[in-house]
Amino acid sequence: MTFASKSLTYAKEIGVLDQTYHSEKLVSDIYGEQNQPALSLQHYKNYIIVRDSLNTMESTKKFDRAEMDFEFQKKEALFQEKNKREHLLLLFSIIGTLLLIGLIFVLINRHQVKRRLTLQKEVAEYEQKALHLQMNPHFVFNCLGSISSFIVQNGTDSALKYLSKFSKLMRLTLEYSKDALIPIDKEIESLQNYLELEQLRFHDKFEFIIKSSESVEFNMGLPPLLIQPFVENAILHGLVPKEGNGMIIVDFNVENDQLVCTITDNGIGITKSTAIKENSMKAHKSMALEITRKRLEIMEATISKSAQIEIKELEENNIVKGTRVTLRLPKQYIQ
């Protein structure tokens, strides 16, 4: 009993509830065995009080621990949420930067492509103008040759009439040859003057017809001096060597969304003409056709539409009846 009492006293002095709890229980049990119920009951009550205090403290600790755990989990969740937002912000920043770089690259590439296409178009236009300049002296040289031959072979009055028509033709040629396109009616007017000049020169060796279908619109255009070289070839290499008079038909039409110009003659044909013409005449024809083909290639490259030439010898029962040149041009309009 002595040791139990001392243990209880020391526990109370130092404030150790757990030791007080066990000591009060031990003292209560000893007094019970010594038949001292009053003291046993008193210490038992103290034991109950200490036990309740311990339970209260334990509950408080558990509550505090739970509250601390909650606060920790709350802070952990906030940290994770903040960390997640920072990662998302970083991810969106990277994606935005990549998209911006991609957009800048696309815009730069598009600008470069646009500039390249613009330069290509400008180069094509300058090539076209250069070919016009090349064609004009060729055309004028042929006309001056015709004039000199005509003056030698005919009288003064006829020569003046020829020069009058030639000056009108030169005015039309100079007026429209600087343009990329000329109206079809002006092309017809130029061809009319040219064919009348050649009729005078060759003493009405041939007749001609120029016609245009109703499907040809008034504001359609075509490159200047494109038809004349083929008409000239038809006269010089098809009709002039022919016995008797000949005929040239120039027809403008629209087929399959293309402007179709057909030059048909009833001359000696390609095969016979090639066999009898002189070397100078070969160079003459080659130059005109080469320039015209180059002009059509540039036209195709500039407007991305097809343009073709077809030259065909006409036959009937294995007899040559002439030549047909067909030009298929993209429909273009005068602005």
Side-chain angles (χ1 to χ4, degrees):
M1 180 63 183
T2 302
F3 294 109
S5 297
K6 287 182 178 182
S7 175
L8 176 61
T9 301
Y10 292 149
K12 288 181 178 181
E13 287 178 357
I14 62 177
V16 180
L17 289 179
D18 188 60
Q19 184 62 37
T20 304
Y21 164 76
H22 290 290
S23 296
E24 288 286 1
K25 180 68 169 64
L26 179 61
V27 171
S28 175
D29 291 340
I30 293 172
Y31 279 126
E33 290 178 0
Q34 292 178 355
N35 293 320
Q36 298 182 37
L39 292 174
S40 177
L41 178 61
Q42 179 63 39
H43 286 283
Y44 184 78
K45 289 179 179 179
N46 292 339
Y47 158 74
I48 296 300
I49 292 171
V50 175
R51 186 192 65 183
D52 292 342
S53 297
L54 284 173
N55 290 336
T56 301
M57 288 179 63
E58 186 66 25
S59 298
T60 302
K61 288 181 179 178
K62 289 182 178 179
F63 178 78
D64 291 341
R65 191 180 298 112
E67 187 176 9
M68 289 177 62
D69 289 343
F70 174 76
E71 289 296 330
F72 177 77
Q73 291 175 359
K74 182 179 178 181
K75 290 181 180 179
E76 182 70 17
L78 290 173
F79 176 77
Q80 291 179 354
E81 183 68 23
K82 182 181 178 181
N83 195 34
K84 183 178 180 181
R85 285 200 303 268
E86 290 177 350
H87 279 94
L88 287 175
L89 181 61
L90 178 61
L91 179 62
F92 288 147
S93 300
I94 293 173
I95 294 175
T97 303
L98 291 175
L99 289 175
L100 181 61
I101 294 173
L103 179 61
I104 293 173
F105 176 78
V106 169
L107 291 176
I108 293 174
N109 186 62
R110 184 175 180 182
H111 176 73
Q112 290 176 343
V113 170
K114 185 177 180 180
R115 177 172 176 79
R116 184 167 62 251
L117 291 176
T118 301
L119 290 174
Q120 288 176 351
K121 184 176 181 180
E122 289 177 355
V123 169
E125 289 175 353
Y126 281 119
E127 287 182 354
Q128 191 83 336
K129 290 178 181 178
L131 289 171
H132 285 175
L133 293 175
Q134 185 180 4
M135 177 64 80
N136 288 340
H138 175 71
F139 174 68
V140 173
F141 175 80
N142 290 341
C143 288
L144 290 175
S146 298
I147 288 174
S148 62
S149 299
F150 188 83
I151 291 175
V152 171
Q153 297 173 9
N154 300 277
T156 303
D157 293 339
S158 298
L160 289 174
K161 184 178 179 181
Y162 192 99
L163 285 171
S164 176
K165 288 185 176 295
F166 175 72
S167 65
K168 183 177 180 181
L169 180 61
M170 287 299 97
R171 178 180 58 80
L172 290 172
T173 302
L174 293 174
E175 180 179 355
Y176 289 103
S177 63
K178 65 180 181 294
D179 298 324
L181 297 174
I182 63 170
I184 290 180
D185 60 337
K186 294 301 180 181
E187 177 70 10
I188 291 175
E189 184 180 355
S190 296
L191 289 173
Q192 180 85 20
N193 274 273
Y194 174 75
L195 285 164
E196 288 175 357
L197 280 172
E198 294 297 76
Q199 275 186 327
L200 286 173
R201 177 186 172 191
F202 293 110
H203 307 288
D204 294 324
K205 173 72 174 177
F206 63 90
E207 298 293 329
F208 68 87
I209 298 173
I210 303 176
K211 55 185 179 178
S212 176
S213 72
E214 294 180 354
S215 59
V216 177
E217 301 172 59
F218 74 95
N219 59 340
M220 282 185 180
L222 74 165
L225 295 175
L226 193 67
I227 308 300
Q228 184 272 336
F230 297 101
V231 174
E232 180 182 359
N233 282 332
I235 295 170
L236 296 180
H237 309 309
L239 299 181
V240 170
K242 174 185 172 69
E243 295 182 4
N245 293 340
M247 170 65 75
I248 293 179
I249 301 174
V250 182
D251 181 38
F252 294 92
N253 199 359
V254 175
E255 297 176 2
N256 299 324
D257 205 38
Q258 285 184 311
L259 175 63
V260 180
C261 178
T262 305
I263 303 101
T264 307
D265 68 76
N266 61 349
I268 62 175
I270 301 171
T271 304
K272 191 173 181 180
S273 172
T274 303
I276 65 174
K277 66 187 175 180
E278 299 175 351
N279 291 334
S280 61
M281 297 291 283
K282 287 183 182 178
H284 170 80
K285 178 181 178 183
S286 171
M287 180 180 179
L289 286 179
E290 182 182 351
I291 292 174
T292 304
R293 290 183 190 277
K294 182 62 177 176
R295 292 177 71 189
L296 292 180
E297 288 176 6
I298 293 176
M299 182 193 301
E300 285 185 325
T302 304
I303 63 176
S304 300
K305 292 184 179 179
S306 176
Q308 304 101 18
I309 305 176
E310 180 187 14
I311 303 176
K312 182 179 180 181
E313 191 170 64
L314 303 177
E315 294 184 0
E316 183 178 336
N317 297 325
N318 294 324
I319 299 175
V320 175
K321 294 294 184 180
T323 305
R324 176 180 295 133
V325 177
T326 304
L327 292 172
R328 299 186 181 275
L329 309 174
K331 284 172 59 177
Q332 299 183 79
Y333 295 89
I334 304 296
Q335 298 296 326

